[in-house]
Amino acid sequence: MRRIGLPDVIGPISDRWSRLPTPARYVVYVIAIVAAFALPADSIGSFMSPQSDWSAILFYPIGVYILLAIGLNVVVGQAGLLDLGYVAFFAIGGYTMGKIGLSLKWDFWVILPCGIAAAAVAGVILGAPTLRLRGDYLAIVTLGFGEIIRITANNLNFTGGPRGLSGIPNPPSVGSFSALQFNVATTKPFYYLVLVMIILAIVLVKRLERSRVGRAWAAIREDEDAAEVMGVPTFRFKLWAFAIGACIGGAAGVLFAAQTISITPEDFPFLLSSYIVVAVVLGGSGNLAGVILGAFLVAWLPERFRGFADYRVLAFGGALVLMMIVRPEGLLPSRRRRAELAEGTGGMGSLGGGVGGAQTQAVRIEAVETDAVQTGAVESEAAP
Amino acid sequence: MTESAALLELRTVTQQFGGVTALSEVDLGVPEGAIFALIGPNGAGKTTVFNLITGVYRPTAGSLWFGGAKISGKRPHEVARVGIARTFQNIRLFDNMSALENVMVGADARHDSSVVGAALGLRRHRREERDGRERGMQLLDLVGITRVAEDTAKGLSYGDQRRLEIARALATQPRLLLLDEPAAGMNPAEKEQLGVLIRKIRDIGVTVFLIEHDMGLVMQVSDRVAVLDFGQKIADDTPSAVRTDPRVIEAYLGAPADAT
Ligand SMILES: Nc1ncnc2c1ncn2[C@@H]1O[C@H](COP(=O)(O)OP(=O)(O)OP(=O)(O)O)[C@@H](O)[C@H]1O
Ligand SMILES: [Mg+2]
């Protein structure tokens, strides 16, 4: 029925990858990390970014987008919850850095955990009432939340209104190492910093994925009601997904503000939320390598082809529509995700349908239970 | 089986859905250590009883008690922790997870390691992962499907999927196991094995509450049988007594008075 395409090639590769012995995999990781640290080299930059400073672009948008995509992937890819206002957490991190850095003159390293905590608290405050909503409502509420944060920042004197905050301190430089001098004239050190954060985020997310937490998220994505009956506190784990995603977004925001020195509400538009969603979906929700690739492309392509910058949104729209038609599972989908999409339980449908209140939940179980006839049960489930 | 040692009790439970009364003032007691069967024609309200027990529905009236504590009002995952597990009439596995992962989700119901513990790879987390894996394999062995442990659930044969559901439920370490038509779609040989498995489960100390249409299986394994008809309990006795109860025969054959 299906055409033979990229998935059929990538499938076996990722299967082989997961069967590689651990030492072999570590060798690949080390090579990847070394390559990532070598990335700002001029020889690479002259091709990747002939028109602008390559290592600056590596920090923003590329590095920051990747970090954001890793965070959003926890929410969208792992727990299956569609969050359209993810930029809110990025903004909260940024304003925490700006506000505390300016008023209390604290160090970047002290503000970083504050920004993460502030974003996590915001994630819980947003999630607690909304994660009981049905999926489509969740998307709308999160979208609204993203806008509320931006508009609030625009209207408060506390956050500097439309002019935002400027003169935010850079992170302190370390000794006289050129790679660790953080000021307006340096770019590479910030890239190294975001790279370290990306690596830490990957380690964190991978560990969770392989634990009971990742299993719970997968179970929620596949059949939330059955998961609940099997003892998975579904609401709590969805809230955790929100909080962890928020933490990563907050960290990215702190770092961003500490590098750009001045932030305004316009740095946190809805469009940024949608870029990150595009990065996650384009790359293959759930699969980290795919998500990173997606974020890289979303960030890099417009920089590389600056002449077409005006058509950026149009190009994204076109690319997304094209992807949904030829490759709905994303560029590098996870094996499980691919299977879910093939049978119609995953994908945008399940992104939207991830949540269920007590009422809808009861009705849904009933709906499946009562029409189940002896042997027909499996077949009737497979039908859409 | 003594009546006094009821592990699970339904006290005058009524369940309405809009105008439909699915259960009407039903009293039920499942004795500890027994294999208790609930039978009745299609639409009698049997699955509704399981949905009430597991907290999927809240009773319109009446209450449910487990081991002397009230469970009506608890959320499903809390009911699981109290020691009640179930299978579904239509199979509801986590289709794209492996058989072992499915069972490990069940085992996680007994695990306490936190998200932070998992993120940092703390010792308790690692111990619980190992425990979940080991217990998972033991349970797959108990139901006889270790050979497909690494296969995705949806790729399993129908009978194996039913067995996997039982293993996943047992992984939550229940005191009471609810089986909703476990023999549906099985061939006679598989039903035979299922009967053996159900007894084995009872013998390891798990009380079994069975909904089943296959009378052969019900009569063969049950210690006690209750009968529902149009949401009302019409019999609750030993298998042999129920078999000869005129009201039960009438319900199954469809008396003219019931035809509306
Ligand atoms: N959530 C619900 N909303 C409305 N009606 C419901 C709901 N759940 C069950 N019912 C109704 O309650 C009655 C009992 O249903 P239930 O599924 O408990 O029957 P059952 O005895 O399990 O039948 P079967 O042998 O076919 O599985 C049916 O009339 C059914 O339509
Ligand atoms: Mg039923």
Side-chain angles (χ1 to χ4, degrees), chain A residues 204 207 210-212 215 222-223 228 230-231 240 336 339-340 343 362 365-366 368-369 374-375 378 381, chain B residues 47 57 76-77 86 90-92 94-96 101 104 108 111 113 119-121 125 129 154 158 185:
Chain A
L204 168 76
R207 285 195 160 191
R210 280 193 294 256
S211 72
R212 65 177 300 212
R215 274 194 299 277
E222 297 228 359
D223 188 337
E228 176 78 27
M230 287 305 132
W240 268 111
R336 191 178 287 154
E340 284 169 13
E343 67 185 22
I365 287 201
E366 176 274 330
V368 203
E369 294 280 289
Q374 315 275 15
T375 48
V378 170
E381 258 199 323
Chain B
T47 298
Y57 300 154
H77 73 264
R86 76 178 279 186
N90 58 313
I91 295 165
R92 295 186 70 165
F94 307 122
D95 274 346
N96 297 297
E101 282 173 316
M104 286 176 78
D108 286 336
H111 289 161
S113 66
L120 300 179
H125 164 254
E129 281 293 299
K154 70 164 175 223
Y158 191 69

Side-chain angles (χ1 to χ4, degrees), chain A residues 369-370 372, chain B residues 42-48 89 180-181 211 213:
Chain A
E369 294 280 289
T370 45
Chain B
N42 289 112
K46 305 182 295 296
T47 298
T48 301
Q89 179 171 353
D180 199 343
E181 300 194 21
I211 291 177
H213 277 302

Side-chain angles (χ1 to χ4, degrees), chain B residues 127-141:
Chain B
R127 170 164 42 76
E128 289 183 344
E129 281 293 299
R130 215 178 319 118
D131 163 77
R133 195 167 293 276
E134 279 168 14
R135 197 136 46 81
M137 287 308 288
Q138 284 165 10
L139 287 168
L140 290 180
D141 187 43

Side-chain angles (χ1 to χ4, degrees), chain B residues 10 12-17 20-28 38-49 52 61 226-235 247 251 258:
Chain B
L10 274 70
T12 53
V13 168
T14 296
Q15 179 68 21
Q16 287 171 330
F17 299 105
V20 181
T21 302
L23 290 176
S24 159
E25 304 195 339
V26 170
D27 285 294
L28 219 53
L38 180 63
I39 63 171
N42 289 112
K46 305 182 295 296
T47 298
T48 301
V49 169
L52 280 164
V227 187
L228 275 183
D229 186 30
F230 287 106
Q232 287 185 319
K233 191 172 86 171
I234 58 169
R247 289 193 64 190
D258 284 338

